[in-house]
Amino acid sequence: MDSGYGITVLTLFPELVREYFRTSLVGKAAERGALHLEAVDIRSFARDRHRTCDDAPYGGGAGMVLMAEPLAAALDSVDAQARHVVFPTPSGFPFRQDDALRLSRLDGMVLICGRYEGIDQRIVDEYVHEELSIGDYVLSSGELAAMVIIDAVYRLREGILRSESVREDSFQDGLLEYPHYTRPETFRSRSVPEVLLSGHHARIARWRREQQLIRTAEKRPELLQHVQLDEAERKLTESIRTKERDDE
Ligand code: SAM
């Protein structure tokens, strides 16, 4: 296991981010020396005695904008020019599992948590390598988005989780994950699918793959475009999609 992966979060709410670090599995991984975590308070880089970090937008309009100067000073303090800088924003590229994997292979990242209407564009132009959106909705600030990205990324680092657990997650092979069951065998008259009790590994693997295909065809059919299917699998997913269309 290596401790070379450094995650720095620039935020107006360092306590919120530190609490996440303290109470989550990512924090446990840091305690074991698997990564290095840091939350930096942007406000401590404000220049005036009121520690102002926001100002009205040029050109008018609603809301305030996170000012360039405190943010630039905070970025310089963590040597951001030499690191990979991510700005979570609703106007970024959609953040997907592929991005998590790509980011997990770097040596770390600096995340800027926006607030108000967003951050001064000149910070994006000067420091940011990528803008990522965690979904088509607007949060009031970037901390939750940064935590989502950190959580998705760190668990893909070598040696953090058991590799088969990551390999079988949703999206790793382009499909949603199959359903899970644990004891008891019957819960409120609902029984565990017989095949899972059979001990027959090939049958279990076939059933799980089929469940993945059914789930994906029902809930996220667009994902199937990128998955290699054999003839039987293609027919199965087609029949589910046809049924879905008929039910509409
Ligand atoms: N005015 C911005 C817009 O319409 O795109 C929204 C700003 S939002 C109120 C404040 C901050 O929350 C953003 O700068 C960003 O850092 C964060 N944020 C909100 N929604 C997000 C999302 N879907 N993905 C990533 N970050 C988000």
Side-chain angles (χ1 to χ4, degrees), residues 87-90 114-118 132-135 137-142 145:
F87 175 44
T89 165
R115 174 84 174 147
Y116 318 112
E117 288 309 311
L132 295 173
S133 167
I134 63 158
Y137 40 78
V138 178
L139 303 167
S140 39
S141 66

Side-chain angles (χ1 to χ4, degrees), residues 178-199:
Y178 51 79
H180 295 285
Y181 297 86
T182 185
R183 283 189 291 185
E185 267 184 45
T186 303
F187 169 70
R188 297 189 182 160
S189 71
R190 295 169 190 271
S191 297
V192 173
E194 191 58 43
V195 58
L196 297 180
L197 308 174
S198 69

Side-chain angles (χ1 to χ4, degrees), residues 5 14 26 62:
Y5 201 80
V26 73

Side-chain angles (χ1 to χ4, degrees), residues 92-105:
F93 290 99
F95 176 61
R96 300 188 197 286
Q97 188 72 2
D98 287 356
D99 300 299
L101 191 60
R102 179 173 52 73
L103 290 170
S104 78
R105 290 177 175 152

Side-chain angles (χ1 to χ4, degrees), residues 18-42:
R18 285 183 196 130
E19 191 59 19
Y20 161 64
F21 287 163
R22 199 178 64 74
T23 53
S24 64
L25 291 173
V26 73
K28 301 274 174 290
E31 271 172 26
R32 294 199 309 272
L35 18 105
H36 178 74
L37 301 172
E38 161 183 51
V40 173
D41 186 0
I42 299 167

Side-chain angles (χ1 to χ4, degrees), residues 178 194-211:
Y178 51 79
E194 191 58 43
V195 58
L196 297 180
L197 308 174
S198 69
H200 193 300
H201 295 301
R203 271 185 61 210
I204 292 172
R206 249 194 329 274
W207 179 85
R208 285 180 167 166
R209 169 84 178 171
E210 199 178 280
Q211 293 298 312

Side-chain angles (χ1 to χ4, degrees), residues 13 22 82 88 103 118 124 143 170 183-184 203 210 217 230 235:
F13 303 99
R22 199 178 64 74
L103 290 170
V124 178
E143 285 72 20
S170 293
R183 283 189 291 185
R203 271 185 61 210
E210 199 178 280
D230 65 24
K235 280 193 180 138

